[in-house]
Amino acid sequence: MNFHIKPLQRQALASEKTDVLIVFVDDAFEPAQDAVSRIIHKVMEAGDFQAKSGQILDIFRPEGIAATHLVLAQIGPGGATDVKKAGTAAFVSVKSSRPKRLTLCFLQKPSALAVRVALTALADASYSYTTTKSNPPERSLRDITLTGPLGKSVRGAFDWAVAAIMGIELAKEWGNRPANHATPALIAQAARALTKLSGVTCQVLGPKEVARLGMGAFQAVAQGSDQPLRFIVLQYAGAAKATAPVVLVGKGITFDSGGISIKPAAEMDEMKFDMCGAASVLGVFRALAQLQPALNVVGLIPSCENLPSGRSVKPGDVVTSMSGQTIEVLNTDAEGRLVLCDALTYAQRFKPRAVLDVATLTGACVVALGAVRSGFFCTDEAMSAALLKAGESAHDPCWPMPLDDDYAEGLKTSFADVANVAGRSGGAITAAKFLQRFAGKQPWAHLDIAGTAWKSGTAKGATGRPVGLLLDYLLSVADRGH
Ligand code: BES
Ligand code: MN
Ligand code: ZN
């Protein structure tokens, strides 16, 4: 898909050659003396198009307009949620005509947030997963042009959105692939493919190297599967070598059956999405390569399957993590924290300025926050503020959760330094408390994306979250300089 930006006066809209011209009409609409204004005025007078957010009117071959479809979309006061809904509904209304060129027009100068949300909503609505279909239709949409009274801040938001969309679509692609088409080795290949892009390098470790590093917790999860594990180290270099990097860690369980503590059959297929944290790290690197911000970023992905077999780790087994801490594996389905803890220890070798892990970690987080906000844990106030802000400005929000030491009580055991599970209550928090033991002294944050990384039901599919949030956070770090 190609994105274009083209400031246009309202009078010029009528002659815009495109398959679909979407016009966002806001509360403050004042008709002018141009063809599009006249049409809007007319349909409003007739009651066909009300001044109510979410209203859509698709007009086929309107008189005096070069576009094949003119789609009017009401955005009310123009808030992010309204714009997202309007953008999605507008595209859905013309999707079956398989448009190639689409022009999106704001009548008033839009906020940066509105631009971001509008473009990402259009990309989202026009995306469909095709990789494992035998005869998939090609994506019809080739060109998206943003137009209207656009200022300088709009240009920045446009560039951000284009990069974010590339990252989001990469994250969706790998999230959606079934586990037999997204093995740890294939995830590693996808990471390696990113090294064609400027500033990105990649190193991939296999079972031998991981054993040599002493990653006993990660190995314990991988040992039940015939697919060999991979530990992926991505680096983006946008600043001087001596500049301390931000380290991102993404959970890369390509299939989570639960292991010996096996999950029930219903919806177990959705555990192919248990590598969405890893996919979001790949997506962020795609976006960084696009925008080339001045900072250094390391991406770590511990990737393996969690399966039951004669070689699987068993409830009660005690394993030794890379940090030296011993862990009693009371539940083999709490495998995410086992692969992440060794990656967090590995992160220390980069002397990072901050570490942030991203994981589809707990069903408890889905219960707590649903599909709207990701669970967010953080040991540092400034980092916390930056991430919360990034979540809002990327329209990819998260919500702060506590890290009181009292929550770690349940992780105590007589047989190792720590157990991998506590009781049922506060499950998202006790998981975070487990990770915190391995996080090091620098600021650390953890995003539990179990509720936000994919949708279930008829709209089943990866969302590409939290690529937008992560990208905005990293850009804010780059902006602050060093
Ligand atoms: N990948 C799952 C978390 C998950 C479950 C995400 C359902 C989305 C939907 C994770 O590995 C897991 O199984 N967690 C357990 C932890 C428990 C054993 C303490 C869970 O949440 O049930
Ligand atoms: Mn699990
Ligand atoms: Zn899992």
Side-chain angles (χ1 to χ4, degrees), residues 251 256 258 263 271 274 306 332-336 361:
K251 173 178 173 182
D256 180 13
K263 289 181 181 293
M271 285 298 119
D274 212 16
N306 184 24
T332 67
D333 197 10
E335 86 296 339
L361 203 63

Side-chain angles (χ1 to χ4, degrees), residues 43-78:
V43 294
M44 282 182 123
E45 292 264 278
D48 288 340
F49 182 68
Q50 279 124 34
K52 207 172 100 200
S53 172
Q55 283 272 311
I56 299 292
L57 185 67
D58 171 17
I59 311 168
F60 182 65
R61 294 203 189 283
E63 225 185 280
I65 303 285
T68 312
H69 290 262
L70 171 64
V71 181
L72 306 179
Q74 254 292 349
I75 57 170

